[in-house]
Amino acid sequence: FCKYGNSIASRLIEKILDVELKRGDSETVFSKAVLRIDKIYGIERLIEILKAFGSETLSRTSYWYGVTVSKKQSLSHLLGVCWPAAGDSAEKLAEFMKGSKIKPDRLIEVAMYSPQWIDIIAEYLGIVGMKSGCYYFMAHTAAAISDRTKAIIAKYTPLTKDELNGGCFDVKWFKEAYGILGEKTFDKLYKAAKYTSDNNMHTRARKFADAALGKMDIASTEATIHDKRNKDLLLSLAIIPSQGADDILQRYEFIQNFARESKQFGAQRRASEGAAAQFALKNLAVTAGYSDDTRLTLSMETQLVRQHMDYFKPHDIGGYEVMIAVEGGKPSVTVAKNGKALKSAPPAIKKDEAFL
């Protein structure tokens, strides 16, 4: 019975495709049924879908709403569920590409949109490292991905999906992929990365790439983060190549200040910004050459203590001994006269520049 049922289903799907792939702007009687197809197979169908697209862009929305199904929605769904059939290969793809007017850049978009085709497309285009580059962009977006994609990503990076979603960046993977692909080919993947998700999370992977390549200016990036409270830029700030020990310390302080400033907001925003700051510190640790963010924090805090050590020693201001003291973990300014502590600073020194 199952075999008979599958045979009928296959014949129905073939009939639906024969009609739908020849449609114009108006939907056909089968257009809504297209969205219930889970899988179709073969390079023949892939090429038919791409020919039907013409110059139309792919739909980045994975769900359907409305009364009618547009041509773009229908074809994009079919592209997403189209898988290589047994025996499909780069050689076979080359045969069907002849005279099709389908451009190589469209195939790169297909690879991002339907990763099941990456191997065949990469071999056909002759792009070494394309698979690694495609999965780099998929890994550094927060979009939902299949178990198959998770398993492949795990071959390239030790970072977990939660760490990647949170904003951790695998700089080693990026440098290897970029080094093999080269600037020109990587830029093509960069442009097609919008098809890795149905939201704007692909822009995070782009920001990470720009930061790692040194295309971001630290000062202007910090200014934008301060004004816009952009969490992805905060994560990217930590990825910009190190410009020395002072630079790392300055960025460490900036990230910590960002986390402290979040206390003025509601609980949900405070939590999300706090998490972004923590992941930014993890990225900064890698940038600075530390094995983890704990070692980064210990080193940075030690440097800060050394920088401010002078404030913990008595200063003579107008005949009074003034210093910072820490008691119970809380700092305060203490004032003494002839070795005797005063309850408060006298008016005579409150406006003194050194005291302030």
Side-chain angles (χ1 to χ4, degrees):
F1 178 78
C2 289
K3 183 178 180 181
Y4 184 65
N6 287 334
S7 175
I8 294 175
S10 296
R11 289 164 61 189
L12 284 172
I13 289 173
E14 291 303 313
K15 181 62 177 178
I16 291 170
L17 295 178
D18 288 342
V19 174
E20 189 68 15
L21 291 175
K22 293 180 178 63
R23 65 170 286 179
D25 292 334
S26 300
E27 69 174 7
T28 71
V29 67
F30 292 130
S31 294
K32 291 183 178 64
V34 164
L35 303 181
R36 296 197 291 274
I37 296 175
D38 292 329
K39 274 190 180 181
I40 56 177
Y41 297 93
I43 284 175
E44 298 95 327
R45 286 302 190 188
L46 174 66
I47 297 300
E48 287 178 353
I49 293 168
L50 296 180
K51 285 181 177 178
F53 261 115
S55 59
E56 178 70 84
T57 58
L58 312 182
S59 174
R60 293 173 53 212
T61 303
S62 58
Y63 54 88
W64 170 76
Y65 58 90
V67 178
T68 60
V69 177
S70 69
K71 179 179 180 180
K72 182 174 179 175
Q73 289 171 325
S74 173
L75 295 177
S76 295
H77 174 79
L78 290 174
L79 181 60
V81 300
C82 186
W83 285 69
D88 280 351
S89 64
E91 291 77 15
K92 187 174 181 180
L93 177 59
E95 293 176 13
F96 281 89
M97 282 291 290
K98 291 177 182 177
S100 67
K101 297 183 180 180
I102 299 170
K103 296 180 180 179
D105 287 358
R106 174 66 98 183
L107 291 181
I108 292 176
E109 291 177 349
V110 172
M112 288 290 191
Y113 198 87
S114 300
Q116 58 268 24
W117 289 100
I118 290 177
D119 290 336
I120 290 176
I121 289 174
E123 186 179 347
Y124 167 73
L125 295 176
I127 299 177
V128 178
M130 179 176 170
K131 185 173 183 177
S132 176
C134 287
Y135 281 103
Y136 155 78
F137 281 103
M138 294 176 202
H140 290 91
T141 65
I145 57 176
S146 66
D147 290 339
R148 175 181 179 273
T149 299
K150 288 179 185 177
I152 295 174
I153 289 172
K155 296 178 180 179
Y156 290 102
T157 176
L159 296 175
T160 67
K161 184 57 184 172
D162 288 341
E163 287 174 324
L164 290 165
N165 277 352
C168 281
F169 176 72
D170 191 327
V171 64
K172 182 181 178 182
W173 181 11
F174 168 78
K175 287 181 176 179
E176 288 176 351
Y178 187 85
I180 295 172
L181 290 166
E183 181 180 4
K184 185 176 180 181
T185 303
F186 186 85
D187 284 347
K188 290 183 178 182
L189 299 186
Y190 184 106
K191 292 176 182 177
K194 61 186 176 182
Y195 293 120
T196 60
S197 67
D198 57 6
N199 51 38
N200 289 325
M201 291 308 299
H202 67 281
T203 60
R204 173 191 283 182
R206 288 178 167 183
K207 288 185 179 78
F208 286 0
D210 289 342
L213 292 171
K215 294 181 179 180
M216 284 187 178
D217 175 72
I218 292 175
S220 59
T221 301
E222 287 182 345
T224 303
I225 294 169
H226 182 75
D227 292 339
K228 306 294 185 181
R229 305 294 294 182
N230 188 297
K231 295 189 289 293
D232 284 350
L233 275 181
L234 183 75
L235 296 164
S236 302
L237 173 70
I239 296 168
I240 299 173
S242 172
Q243 298 178 14
D246 291 343
D247 158 53
I248 295 297
L249 180 60
Q250 182 266 323
R251 277 191 272 173
Y252 172 82
E253 289 187 273
F254 182 89
I255 294 168
Q256 292 287 27
N257 284 331
F258 180 90
R260 279 192 288 271
E261 290 167 358
S262 69
K263 293 178 181 178
Q264 65 184 296
F265 304 114
Q268 187 173 357
R269 180 170 176 179
R270 189 164 63 246
S272 67
E273 290 194 350
Q278 193 58 51
F279 282 115
L281 289 177
K282 290 180 181 294
N283 286 340
L284 186 64
V286 175
T287 300
Y290 292 92
S291 58
D292 56 54
D293 54 313
T294 299
R295 286 173 172 78
L296 169 75
T297 299
L298 290 172
S299 177
M300 296 299 103
E301 293 297 335
T302 299
Q303 290 184 49
L304 288 172
V305 169
R306 287 172 180 165
Q307 281 187 3
H308 297 90
M309 190 64 73
D310 188 54
Y311 293 108
F312 295 89
K313 300 174 183 178
H315 287 250
D316 187 300
I317 302 177
Y320 295 89
E321 298 171 353
V322 183
M323 62 181 286
I324 291 177
V326 179
E327 191 172 340
K330 295 182 179 180
S332 62
V333 177
T334 64
V335 181
K337 181 73 172 180
N338 298 325
K340 184 179 179 180
L342 304 181
K343 290 184 177 179
S344 61
I349 68 169
K350 279 189 174 179
K351 293 184 179 181
D352 186 279
E353 184 177 346
F355 179 82
L356 295 173

